[in-house]
Amino acid sequence: MKDPAAFRREAVAAIRERAPTGALVAASGGIDSTVAGLLAQEALGARCHAVFVDTGLLREGEEARVRALFGAAGLAVTVAPAAERFLRALAGVTDPEEKRRRIGTEFVRLFEEEAARWSVPALVQGTIAPDWIESGGQHRDTIKTHHNVGGLPRDMRLAVVEPLRDLYKDEVRELARHLGVPDPDRQPFPGPGLAVRVHGEVTAAAVALCRRANRAVEEEVEAAVARGEIPRPWQYFAVLLPVRTVGVTGDNRIYGQAVSLRIVDSVDAMTATAATVPAELLRTIAERITRESPGQITRVLFDVTDKPPATIEWE
Ligand code: XMP
């Protein structure tokens, strides 16, 4: 990216040109959609409407985070409650690509409804370069279909505006700093949310387990970062695995599930390395996860695989 101020000027002009009558902004709380939203607001003012979809697949506190982020910039966010709708769309689906496609379709149908309500013909998304490269752009095989790229249905009735599509994460963060977005280095969170961290079928109960384990990982890692024990990793989260595994409480054998910890370092998410984490921190996280989900999670694993050959997410 040239200098952020020049990029900002050009992006604002381009949004005005592409969506002169107004646009919806798909706000997820992530850094990419926040930056895209702020550029859209600068370009369109009151003709810009931010919508946050509560998919039921989010981490704790996500809605409050989005309201705070956009509120600080004077952009009101409409919350679309859609947890039941997404769970229904995902019922019985275990294939990761099919999950992404269904989530993408559901997002678009919701945005179409919201766009009709606000009478705007366009959608501003925070798609960045790795999203479409890994979705099969530039003649590469599809690594996975990012829900906001290849996951879009062909009959979509909205013009899509993607002001950040040529940027990588470090450039978006630079732009975020320039725009005064708080905590621009916070970890990325995938658009399909916890659906791609619940391995196999997505149910309300599985999402709740994954969410609780995820909170433990985030809080414990962030506490260790604050104590200066480790540098902030690129991403740190929990994945709920579908295996049944034996555990013991008192005199009883129980069958619970396993969780894998994924803590990686990266620069642009195109490659990543499993972070070096003190064993004591891993043990603290494992103890907390099993304590907070007694009888349900009986084993915690640590994924030591780099990308490649693995990817950052499990699905
Ligand atoms: P992978 O798992 O492909 O992830 O190594 C690379 C980065 O992208 C995030 N990710 C996604 N983001 N929609 C998104 O918006 C998606 O479908 C998606 N899949 C993965 C992942 O968290 C990592 O930062």
Side-chain angles (χ1 to χ4, degrees):
M1 186 177 49
K2 324 158 206 168
D3 76 292
F7 182 93
R8 175 185 186 169
R9 267 196 310 278
E10 284 170 26
V12 165
I15 295 170
R16 259 186 216 135
E17 192 177 316
R18 293 225 40 215
T21 58
L24 274 194
V25 169
S28 72
I31 207 72
D32 307 339
S33 72
T34 303
V35 168
L38 294 181
L39 293 173
Q41 191 210 14
E42 192 171 329
L44 306 173
R47 284 164 292 146
C48 169
H49 306 277
V51 176
F52 170 76
V53 179
D54 179 2
T55 58
L57 305 166
L58 301 168
R59 293 171 296 180
E60 275 186 26
E62 214 93 58
E63 185 182 324
R65 195 165 24 238
V66 175
R67 282 192 192 280
L69 273 172
F70 282 97
L75 182 57
V77 183
T78 302
V79 176
E84 278 177 24
R85 188 167 163 169
F86 275 82
L87 275 182
R88 221 177 305 124
L90 290 168
V93 180
T94 54
D95 178 72
E97 281 297 278
E98 186 58 24
K99 281 185 187 177
R100 283 191 163 74
R101 270 191 294 278
R102 293 199 185 200
I103 291 170
T105 301
E106 219 51 49
F107 263 112
V108 167
R109 296 295 167 245
L110 254 153
F111 286 130
E112 285 171 346
E113 291 161 22
E114 287 295 320
R117 226 156 61 78
W118 295 99
S119 302
V120 290
L123 174 70
V124 175
Q125 290 203 129
T127 312
I128 64 172
D131 299 344
W132 59 266
I133 293 172
E134 295 201 334
S135 291
Q138 283 190 346
H139 310 297
R140 288 176 54 152
D141 288 341
T142 302
I143 295 172
K144 66 183 59 161
T145 303
H146 280 232
H147 88 280
N148 54 353
V149 185
L152 298 182
R154 289 187 197 289
D155 61 349
M156 181 169 175
R157 294 189 298 269
L158 289 167
V160 178
V161 183
E162 295 175 323
L164 311 178
R165 63 175 283 121
D166 294 325
L167 301 189
Y168 285 82
K169 199 71 164 195
D170 51 333
E171 297 171 308
V172 179
R173 286 178 166 158
E174 197 184 331
L175 194 55
R177 258 183 283 279
H178 169 75
L179 293 168
V181 176
D183 194 14
D185 295 326
R186 68 179 172 278
Q187 63 166 332
F189 183 65
L194 299 177
V196 294
R197 295 183 180 169
V198 168
H199 210 280
E201 188 182 358
V202 180
T203 62
V207 171
L209 265 183
C210 183
R211 182 180 292 124
R212 200 180 305 137
N214 213 74
R215 184 189 59 190
V217 179
E218 289 197 358
E219 288 182 359
E220 295 302 333
V221 167
E222 279 159 16
V225 171
R227 290 192 301 267
E229 290 168 12
I230 52 167
R232 170 141 69 168
W234 169 268
Q235 268 174 291
Y236 37 101
F237 57 88
V239 179
L240 184 68
L241 305 183
V243 288
R244 289 309 226 178
T245 169
V246 180
V248 60
T249 48
D251 291 336
N252 298 323
R253 283 164 69 86
I254 45 173
Y255 288 92
Q257 277 182 265
V259 154
S260 174
L261 308 181
R262 190 72 169 134
I263 307 178
V264 297
D265 294 321
S266 179
V267 182
D268 56 12
M270 299 295 285
T271 60
T273 50
T276 305
V277 182
E280 207 43 52
L281 176 58
L282 295 176
R283 206 169 282 120
T284 301
I285 296 172
E287 186 279 322
R288 179 167 162 187
I289 289 177
T290 49
R291 174 166 43 79
E292 290 182 345
S293 298
Q296 294 178 294
I297 297 177
T298 42
R299 211 168 287 268
V300 177
L301 317 170
F302 180 50
D303 180 353
V304 292
T305 329
D306 295 340
K307 172 186 181 177
T311 51
I312 294 177
E313 304 290 344
W314 270 52
E315 288 198 333

